[in-house]
Amino acid sequence: MSGEIAGVIFDKDGTLFDFNATWGVWSAGMISDLAAGDAATVARLAEVLGYDLENRVFHPGSLVIASTVQELADAVLRVVPGDKQALIARMNARAAEVGQVPAADLSHVMQQLRDMGLRLGVATNDAEAPARKHLDRAGITSVFDFIAGYDSGFGGKPEPGQLHGFCAATGLKAEACVMVGDSLHDLHAGRAAGMRTVGVLTGPAPAAELAPFADVVLNSVAELPDWIAGMNR
C-alpha cells in the first residue's frame, strides 16, 4: 500500500492507555464484587475472563482485551447468573470511573500528529460514554474528529464498521489511513477496512503475535509521529 498517510484511528485501551496498568487493579475489584466475596466464584470468573489474580494482569488471550461489554457480560453471566442489561449498566458505570494510565504523553503525541495535518479518531470496543470520559480526563477529546464505541451504531472490532465511519466522517479514503492498536481485533479491523495497520506493545499481546498482521510494531504511540513522518517522505 502506497501514498501519504492522512488519517489515524486509534484503539483506546492498550493503545492510548496502558492496558494492565489501567485495568489490572480495577478488574480485581470488579471480580470480587461480582463474586460477592466467594473464593470459588472469584477463581472461576478470573479463569473465564483470562485474568491473573496473583499478579493483577491479563493473560494475552483474555476476553477483556478486545471484547465488547456485551460479550464480557455474556461470559460473566455464565458464572454468575443475573440480568444482562443491569450487569452492563453496572460495568459501564464502574468503567467510566477507572483511573486511566496514559501509554505516552498523549497531549504531546496528538499535537505532533495534528501539526502534521492528520485527521484523528478513536474506535473502541468499550461503550462510547465511558470512552469519552476517559478521553476527557486525559484532556484529548477535542483533537479527535471521530469517536466510536461498540454501541455508536458502527458495530465493534474486528468488523471494520467503525473504521468505515471514520472515513465517512473525515472524507478520507481507507488507503490513506492507519489503524493503531494493541490487539489482533484492531489489526484485523484495519486490514478489513483497507487501512495500513500499526501494532503497539502497551497491551498484553507480544510483538510476535501482532507482527504478521501489522505494517510495523512500535513500543508505544509515542513512536508513531516519527514513523508516519518517515512514511510520508
Side-chain angles (χ1 to χ4, degrees), residues 73-188:
D74 287 336
V76 167
L77 291 172
R78 288 196 291 270
V79 180
V80 184
D83 180 78
K84 183 175 179 178
Q85 293 309 311
L87 176 59
I88 289 172
R90 183 178 176 187
M91 294 173 73
N92 280 339
R94 290 192 61 151
E97 301 308 316
V98 71
Q100 295 278 356
V101 178
D105 183 342
L106 295 178
S107 294
H108 177 64
V109 171
M110 297 306 150
Q111 190 58 55
Q112 285 181 289
L113 296 173
R114 276 299 196 186
D115 288 346
M116 294 165 67
L118 300 171
R119 307 294 294 274
L120 307 178
V122 172
T124 176
N125 277 355
D126 196 357
E128 182 178 339
R132 285 185 175 274
K133 287 191 176 182
H134 298 156
L135 298 172
D136 285 346
R137 287 200 200 101
I140 57 173
T141 304
S142 63
V143 307
F144 295 109
D145 302 288
F146 178 86
I147 298 170
Y150 83 92
D151 56 351
S152 301
F154 304 96
K157 298 169 291 185
E159 299 304 318
Q162 293 173 322
L163 281 60
H164 292 320
F166 172 69
C167 291
T170 59
L172 297 175
K173 293 184 177 179
E175 55 264 32
C177 299
V178 175
M179 174 70 214
V180 183
D182 71 302
S183 78
L184 293 183
H185 271 33
D186 302 319
L187 304 184
H188 290 328

Side-chain angles (χ1 to χ4, degrees), residues 27-28 30-32 34-54 58-59 62-64 72-81:
S27 293
M30 188 72 194
I31 287 171
S32 179
L34 289 169
D38 179 73
T41 305
V42 166
R44 181 63 182 139
L45 282 171
E47 179 184 4
V48 166
L49 296 176
Y51 182 71
D52 181 337
L53 285 166
E54 183 178 353
F58 293 92
H59 299 301
S62 168
L63 279 177
V64 178
L72 293 178
D74 287 336
V76 167
L77 291 172
R78 288 196 291 270
V79 180
V80 184

